[in-house]
Amino acid sequence: MAKGPGVVIGRKGTLGTAFFIPEDYWPHDTTLWVKDFKRNDEKFIYYLLKSIPLERLDSGSANPTLNRNYAHLLKVAAPRPAVQEKISAVLSTLDAKIDVNNRINAELEALAKTIYDYWFVQFDFPDANGRPYKSSGGPMVWNDTLKREIPAGWEVRTLGTIISRAGTGLNPRDHFVLGKGNNYYVTIKNVTNGRIFLDDKCDRIDDEAMAVIDRRSQLRAGDVLFTSIEPVGVTYLIQEKPTNWNINESVFTIRPDTDMVSSEYLLMLLSSSEMKVFTRNSSAGSIHKGIRHSVLKSFALAYPGRRLVDEFSSLLRPMLQKTDNLDKQNRELTRLRDWLLPLLMNGQVRVS
């Protein structure tokens, strides 16, 4: 075990990526680690290593590996420790705010899931007296389609009957060329539950390609993205019409029928444990398992009626807007940090 704090650098997989470890840790043989900082500021060394493209030190073997002998030969310039501390304080403050925002979002997402499960899986939504419906003895009836009891007055619907549109993006093929322009081409690797990563790992497209894709995808605020191949069922709610990104053919865009359901309800339905079980059992494919529109639309659910959907949505809407705003803030903070990092390290920007 190495005594913390320390900096761990990926030798394989996350090649050249540096991580700051504030406490004791067990280093793995797929990492390099720094534990003797020679009186330099630990956080400054961490940020200094992040500013260096360490992945370029690949040993050139069949399996990309960071050779520590190459790393030892690196020549770097570092200011005196007092200046190092000021630089690391600026960058650490930005990272700390990003981390706080991520924690808040994780709690909001967990709360949203809990409310959905409580209302639409356990059927303990508030009854007319504000009490949990099923636990308070609300009448339940057996449903042969779902093979379970559902609240009296609810009906069985399929996903296809509560949405107004299901589409996809477009594959480049003969339609457009990747790698040109300043817009982002979002694939399944860029979508996580509740987030879209628009970064250097995301492919780029020009305005002409954006227009071609949009004629097919027709992305609109309120649509829910749903990844159709492994990992199947990763979701994202579009809060405002995209202006600098669009999707590929492996990402579905699903629009609610607003006479039946809201975007918030549709998001949580598509993100639910029941949907994950359904997609896992219904996906097909020899190389990459995936699900088709027609199969996804056949998913059966207990539909509560518009009144309860609206009550649920009024609870979730401010929570989802909050997570979206914090994600936007984190993107700006990340851009600022990544812009400042090399400038602070090479002395172009000084901290007073």
Side-chain angles (χ1 to χ4, degrees):
M1 181 176 70
K3 294 289 185 180
V7 178
V8 174
I9 306 165
R11 291 180 58 232
K12 300 177 181 179
T14 53
L15 187 68
T17 304
F19 303 90
F20 184 79
I21 311 296
E23 47 203 24
D24 296 348
Y25 58 98
W26 290 96
H28 194 271
D29 63 1
T30 59
T31 63
L32 301 177
W33 65 95
V34 180
K35 59 180 179 179
D36 181 3
F37 296 91
K38 300 187 183 300
R39 299 183 181 179
N40 290 289
D41 182 74
E42 299 96 336
K43 276 292 189 72
F44 174 84
I45 297 299
Y46 161 66
Y47 287 114
L48 176 62
L49 290 169
K50 280 181 69 71
S51 71
I52 300 171
L54 296 172
E55 69 278 2
R56 296 181 184 175
L57 300 180
D58 176 16
S59 62
S61 62
N63 296 315
T65 303
L66 178 61
N67 190 312
R68 67 178 180 178
N69 293 324
Y70 295 173
H72 287 162
L73 296 175
L74 285 172
K75 292 183 178 181
V76 296
R80 64 184 185 276
V83 177
Q84 293 178 17
E85 291 174 6
K86 291 180 179 180
I87 292 173
S88 66
V90 170
L91 297 171
S92 294
T93 299
L94 293 172
D95 274 338
K97 177 57 176 171
I98 292 170
D99 183 61
V100 167
N101 287 350
N102 284 334
R103 291 174 185 270
I104 293 172
N105 276 356
E107 292 177 1
L108 289 172
E109 289 160 7
L111 179 58
K113 184 180 185 306
T114 297
I115 295 172
Y116 176 86
D117 287 347
Y118 196 62
W119 284 33
F120 302 112
V121 179
Q122 301 176 43
F123 303 127
D124 268 334
F125 53 90
D127 66 9
N129 299 310
R131 298 175 301 182
Y133 180 86
K134 185 177 179 181
S135 297
S136 300
M140 305 287 291
V141 294
W142 176 260
N143 184 270
D144 285 332
T145 301
L146 299 178
K147 306 300 182 189
R148 64 177 302 190
E149 289 187 327
I150 63 174
W154 287 31
E155 59 179 314
V156 175
R157 288 267 181 170
T158 61
L159 178 67
T161 65
I162 63 170
I163 64 174
S164 61
R165 184 180 185 277
T168 69
L170 194 61
N171 188 295
R173 292 195 180 96
D174 299 326
H175 303 109
F176 56 90
V177 177
L178 287 178
K180 299 194 305 181
N182 297 315
N183 303 305
Y184 295 95
Y185 183 63
V186 171
T187 66
I188 59 171
K189 68 182 180 184
N190 308 116
V191 185
T192 65
N193 280 320
R195 289 173 179 78
I196 291 253
F197 287 101
L198 305 178
D199 54 24
D200 291 340
K201 297 178 182 178
C202 195
D203 290 321
R204 300 299 181 96
I205 52 175
D206 59 23
D207 292 343
E208 185 178 349
M210 273 278 289
V212 171
I213 300 170
D214 192 56
R215 284 197 289 271
R216 180 183 178 95
S217 67
Q218 300 177 32
L219 297 183
R220 184 188 298 178
D223 289 356
V224 179
L225 300 187
F226 186 95
T227 58
S228 66
I229 62 174
E230 292 182 326
V232 179
V234 181
T235 55
Y236 175 79
L237 173 62
I238 300 177
Q239 296 278 2
E240 53 189 36
K241 181 174 173 59
T243 58
N244 68 335
W245 61 269
N246 219 303
I247 57 176
N248 81 335
E249 82 287 356
S250 297
V251 181
F252 292 165
T253 171
I254 303 174
R255 184 169 301 156
D257 179 344
T258 53
D259 289 333
M260 300 290 295
V261 297
S262 66
S263 296
E264 295 80 15
Y265 173 85
L266 181 62
L267 171 70
M268 299 309 298
L269 172 67
L270 292 171
S271 308
S272 67
S273 299
E274 291 80 7
M275 179 62 76
K276 293 187 187 308
V277 171
F278 174 79
T279 54
R280 185 168 58 247
N281 294 337
S282 304
S283 295
S286 56
I287 300 176
H288 298 293
K289 285 196 171 184
I291 194 165
R292 296 180 179 276
H293 277 130
S294 58
V295 176
L296 186 64
K297 289 178 181 178
S298 71
F299 174 77
L301 62 130
Y303 176 67
R306 187 64 208 230
R307 182 189 63 79
L308 197 60
V309 166
D310 286 343
E311 290 181 16
F312 173 75
S313 300
S314 67
L315 284 177
L316 255 68
R317 191 168 295 117
M319 295 166 57
L320 296 177
Q321 290 172 347
K322 176 74 170 178
T323 60
D324 186 61
N325 289 336
L326 290 178
D327 277 337
K328 289 178 182 175
Q329 187 179 101
N330 274 2
R331 287 197 290 272
E332 292 304 315
L333 290 171
T334 299
R335 289 192 190 101
L336 176 60
R337 181 201 64 198
D338 293 346
W339 176 75
L340 280 174
L341 181 59
L343 299 179
L344 288 167
M345 291 302 159
N346 63 29
Q348 287 181 265
V349 172
R350 298 181 183 276
V351 183
S352 60

